C-alpha cells in the first residue's frame, strides 16, 4: 500500500490522479446536486427575444409558467442582445463557456499565490526535491479547479446560467490592474459590472474610501455611459426600471426565502410579515462601517486583493437579496484566508487551514436548504442563515501579514521588477516581495502613476 501511495504522489503518478479527480468531480456534479435547468438563461433568452422579435417590453416579460422576469438594469439586456441571434441550446452553451473562462481567470488571479506558495513549501520540505523553478503547479491548479467546481454557489451559477462569475471576473480584472501598478486603467471592469447588475457598485465605494478618485471616476463614468446607452436604445425600459422595477423586490422572489443569504433575508425570516426597515438599515450601516475601516487598512498595507475580497463580502451582506448562487463573491475571501494560512510556519498553519477547510465544506453542503419549508425557531436562526454568519465572520477576520516570504518565481516573460522595490516581483498580477515595505507604500499611493497600485 505504501508503494502504491508513493507511486501516486510522485510526479509520474500525478496525471492519473488528476484524471481521476476530474472524472469524480464531473460524475458528482452530474448526479448529486440539484440541477436548475438553466432557469436564468431561460429568463434572459425569453426577455431578449420577446423584446427584439415580438416588440415586447423588457420588464413585462415573465418566463412561461412562472412569476419571474428580468430584474437587471436595461444595459444587461443590451449586452445580452446576441442571444436573439442564436438558438436556445447555443445560448446555454455560450453561458457555460463564458462562466468557464471567467472561472479560469479567477483561479489564475486569486488562487495563483496560494498555489505557488504551496508548491514551493512542499519542494522545500522534500529532501532531494527538484529545484523550485523546475516544479510545475499544474497539479495543484487541477485540485483547486475541482474544489472550485464543487463550491455550491459556483455549481448553482452554472446550473442556473447566471452571470455571477462574469461580474466577479470583471471586478477582479480591475484589482489585478491595481496590483500590477497599472491602476490608471482600472475602473472600467467595475463600471461595466455595475451597469449590468447593481451589487458591484460597492466596489466604486472601495475605490473612493481608499483614495482612488481617478479610478472611481472611471468606474462611475463607465457605468453612467453604459446606462445612458441603454436609455437611448430603449427609453421606456429605462424609465420602467429606474422608477418601478428596481424598487419592486417581489419581482425577484420572497425576501424570507431561505436562499436569500443577506442581512435582509435574516430579518425577513425573523419577521416574515413586517420586517423592520429601520433595523435593516442600522445593520447595513454597521456592516459598511466595519467594511470601510478594514478596506482602508488593507489598502494601506498594499493588499488590494484582500480589500476587494472584503468588499465582495460586504456587498453580499448589504444587498436586499443575495441568493446562494450570488455567494461566488465569497471565493476571493476564502482564497485570501487560505493564502494567509499557507504563509505561516508549518506548525502554525494547521489550525487556520482547518478553519478554511471547514468553511469550505459548510458552503458546499447546501445545509441552509434543510430549513427550506420552515425557517422558524432557534435551529433555523442558526442553520438557515449559516452562510450569512460565515460571510460576517470573514468580514471580521483579518488575514494579517505573511509570516513567511512569498515564493519568488524565476525571471520570465510574466515577471517584471518594480522600480525601487526590494526583491519585488510581480507575476500573474500578484506582488511577491521579500521585504514588502516599499511595495506597500506605493500600493497606498492613490496617484495612479506607473509603479503604484493606484
Amino acid at each position: 500500500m505504501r508503494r502504491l501511495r508513493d507511486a501516486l504522489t510522485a510526479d509520474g503518478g500525478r496525471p492519473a490522479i488528476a484524471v481521476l479527480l476530474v472524472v469524480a468531480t464531473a460524475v458528482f456534479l452530474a448526479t448529486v446536486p440539484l440541477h436548475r435547468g438553466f432557469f436564468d438563461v431561460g429568463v434572459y433568452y425569453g426577455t431578449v427575444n420577446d423584446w427584439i422579435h415580438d416588440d415586447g417590453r423588457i420588464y413585462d416579460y415573465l418566463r412561461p409558467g412562472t412569476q419571474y422576469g428580468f430584474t437587471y438594469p436595461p444595459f444587461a439586456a443590451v449586452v445580452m442582445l446576441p442571444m436573439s441571434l442564436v438558438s436556445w441550446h447555443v445560448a446555454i452553451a455560450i453561458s457555460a463557456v463564458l462562466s468557464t473562462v471567467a472561472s479560469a481567470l479567477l483561479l489564475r488571479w486569486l488562487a495563483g499565490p496560494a498555489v505557488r506558495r504551496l508548491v514551493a513549501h512542499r519542494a522545500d520540505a522534500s529532501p532531494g526535491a527538484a529545484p523550485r523553478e523546475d516544479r510545475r503547479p499544474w497539479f495543484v491548479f487541477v485540485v483547486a479547479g475541482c474544489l472550485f467546481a464543487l463550491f455550491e454557489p459556483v455549481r448553482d451559477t452554472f446550473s442556473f446560467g447566471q452571470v455571477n462569475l462574469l461580474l466577479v471576473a470583471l471586478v477582479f480584472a480591475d484589482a489585478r490592474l491595481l496590483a500590477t501598478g497599472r491602476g490608471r486603467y482600472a475602473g472600467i471592469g467595475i463600471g461595466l459590472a455595475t451597469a449590468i447588475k447593481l451589487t458591484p457598485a460597492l466596489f466604486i465605494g472601495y475605490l473612493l474610501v481608499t483614495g482612488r478618485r481617478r479610478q472611481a471616476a472611471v468606474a462611475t463614468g463607465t457605468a453612467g455611459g453604459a446606462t445612458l446607452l441603454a436609455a437611448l436604445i430603449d427609453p421606456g425600459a429605462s424609465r420602467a426600471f429606474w422608477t418601478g422595477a428596481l424598487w419592486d423586490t417581489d419581482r425577484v422572489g420572497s425576501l424570507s426565502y431561505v436562499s436569500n443569504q443577506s442581512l435582509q433575508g435574516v430579518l425577513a425570516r425573523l419577521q416574515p410579515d413586517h420586517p423592520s426597515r429601520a433595523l435593516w438599515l442600522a445593520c447595513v450601516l454597521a456592516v459598511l462601517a466595519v467594511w470601510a475601516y478594514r478596506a482602508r487598512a488593507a489598502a494601506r498595507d498594499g493588499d488590494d486583493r484582500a480589500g476587494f475580497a472584503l468588499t465582495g463580502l460586504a456587498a453580499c451582506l448589504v444587498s436586499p437579496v443575495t441568493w446562494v448562487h450570488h455567494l461566488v463573491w465569497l471565493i476571493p475571501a476564502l482564497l485570501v484566508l487560505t493564502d494567509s494560512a499557507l504563509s505561516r510556519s508549518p506548525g502554525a498553519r494547521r489550525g487556520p487551514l482547518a478553519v478554511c477547510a471547514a468553511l469550505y465544506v459548510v458552503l458546499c453542503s447546501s445545509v441552509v436548504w434543510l430549513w427550506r419549508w420552515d425557517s422558524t425557531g432557534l435551529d433555523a436562526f442558526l442553520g438557515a442563515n449559516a452562510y450569512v454568519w460565515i460571510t460576517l465572520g470573514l468580514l471580521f477576520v483579518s488575514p494579517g501579514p505573511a509570516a513567511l516570504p512569498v515564493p519568488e518565481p524565476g525571471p520570465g516573460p510574466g515577471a517584471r521588477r518594480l522600480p525601487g522595490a526590494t526583491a519585488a516581483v510581480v507575476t500573474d498580477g500578484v506582488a511577491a516581495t521579500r521585504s514588502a515595505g516599499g511595495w506597500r507604500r506605493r500600493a497606498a499611493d492613490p496617484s495612479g502613476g506607473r509603479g503604484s497600485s493606484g
Side-chain angles (χ1 to χ4, degrees):
M1 182 63 70
R2 184 175 180 179
R3 290 182 179 179
L4 176 61
R5 183 189 65 187
D6 292 342
L8 290 176
T9 55
D11 288 345
R14 286 179 178 174
I17 299 177
V19 171
L20 288 175
L21 285 174
V22 171
V23 170
T25 300
V27 170
F28 176 88
L29 294 176
T31 58
V32 176
L34 290 175
H35 294 158
R36 311 298 185 175
F38 303 103
F39 184 90
D40 288 353
V41 174
V43 173
Y44 309 152
Y45 185 80
T47 298
V48 169
N49 277 279
D50 183 66
W51 180 32
I52 298 301
H53 298 305
D54 298 325
D55 294 326
R57 297 180 179 180
I58 293 175
Y59 299 102
D60 287 345
Y61 174 83
L62 297 177
R63 183 167 178 174
T66 75
Q67 296 180 342
Y68 295 99
F70 199 75
T71 59
Y72 298 164
F75 180 69
V78 173
V79 171
M80 296 174 185
L81 277 176
M83 282 189 173
S84 64
L85 305 175
V86 300
S87 68
W88 161 242
H89 291 96
V90 172
I92 292 175
I94 291 174
S95 170
V97 168
L98 290 177
S99 290
T100 300
V101 171
S103 300
L105 291 173
L106 289 171
L107 278 171
R108 180 181 178 185
W109 297 341
L110 298 174
V115 168
R116 285 189 291 273
R117 195 191 303 277
L118 181 61
V119 169
H121 286 171
R122 286 183 65 87
D124 292 341
S126 302
R132 180 179 299 172
E133 61 271 19
D134 293 334
R135 298 182 67 85
R136 297 293 180 261
W138 68 268
F139 179 76
V140 186
F141 271 115
V142 170
V143 175
C146 291
L147 294 174
F148 187 90
L150 293 172
F151 192 59
E152 182 182 358
V154 170
R155 64 185 192 237
D156 271 2
T157 289
F158 274 88
S159 189
F160 275 114
Q162 260 278 350
V163 298
N164 304 316
L165 288 167
L166 297 174
L167 300 182
V168 179
L170 280 173
V171 167
F172 276 85
D174 280 346
R176 185 169 184 264
L177 290 175
L178 290 171
T180 54
R182 291 176 288 176
R184 68 181 66 183
Y185 304 110
I188 295 176
I190 292 173
L192 290 175
T194 300
I196 294 172
K197 192 172 183 178
L198 297 179
T199 302
L202 189 59
F203 287 91
I204 299 179
Y206 174 76
L207 296 175
L208 287 172
V209 300
T210 57
R212 276 63 171 263
R213 295 184 180 86
R214 172 191 174 97
Q215 290 78 9
V218 170
T220 303
T222 301
T227 301
L228 179 60
L229 173 63
L232 293 175
I233 293 174
D234 191 335
S238 294
R239 184 165 51 250
F241 178 79
W242 296 108
T243 61
L246 172 62
W247 315 103
D248 183 6
T249 56
D250 291 336
R251 289 179 56 86
V252 297
S254 172
L255 292 176
S256 62
Y257 187 45
V258 73
S259 183
N260 185 12
Q261 293 292 304
S262 68
L263 294 173
Q264 180 76 288
V266 174
L267 297 176
R269 283 185 284 277
L270 287 174
Q271 302 172 306
D273 296 328
H274 303 288
S276 171
R277 290 188 176 273
L279 180 57
W280 173 70
L281 182 59
C283 291
V284 166
L285 292 176
V287 165
L288 290 178
V290 173
W291 159 76
Y293 175 80
R294 296 218 48 227
R296 287 176 61 87
R300 283 195 300 269
D301 287 341
D303 195 354
D304 275 310
R305 194 166 54 120
F308 271 68
L310 290 166
T311 306
L313 298 172
C316 289
L317 290 168
V318 304
S319 174
V321 177
T322 299
W323 300 134
V324 168
H325 53 267
H326 295 161
L327 296 178
V328 293
W329 291 103
L330 270 62
I331 293 172
L334 290 172
L335 289 172
V336 168
L337 197 63
T338 302
D339 190 25
S340 175
L342 290 172
S343 74
R344 300 170 182 262
S345 62
R349 74 172 67 127
R350 293 179 182 176
L353 283 178
V355 171
C356 294
L359 294 178
Y360 171 81
V361 169
V362 173
L363 288 167
C364 290
S365 67
S366 302
V367 64
V368 298
W369 297 102
L370 295 175
W371 290 270
R372 180 177 182 180
W373 308 114
D374 183 7
S375 57
T376 60
L378 179 61
D379 62 326
F381 178 72
L382 297 175
N385 303 311
Y387 298 168
V388 180
W389 309 140
I390 289 175
T391 307
L392 275 170
L394 289 170
L395 184 66
F396 281 90
V397 171
S398 175
L404 294 176
V406 180
E408 293 183 17
R416 64 180 177 83
R417 185 166 297 277
L418 293 171
T422 305
V425 176
V426 173
T427 304
D428 293 336
V430 179
T433 62
R434 185 173 286 130
S435 176
W439 165 244
R440 287 177 177 173
R441 283 192 294 274
R442 276 184 293 277
D445 178 13
S447 65
R450 187 171 185 85
S452 76
S453 70

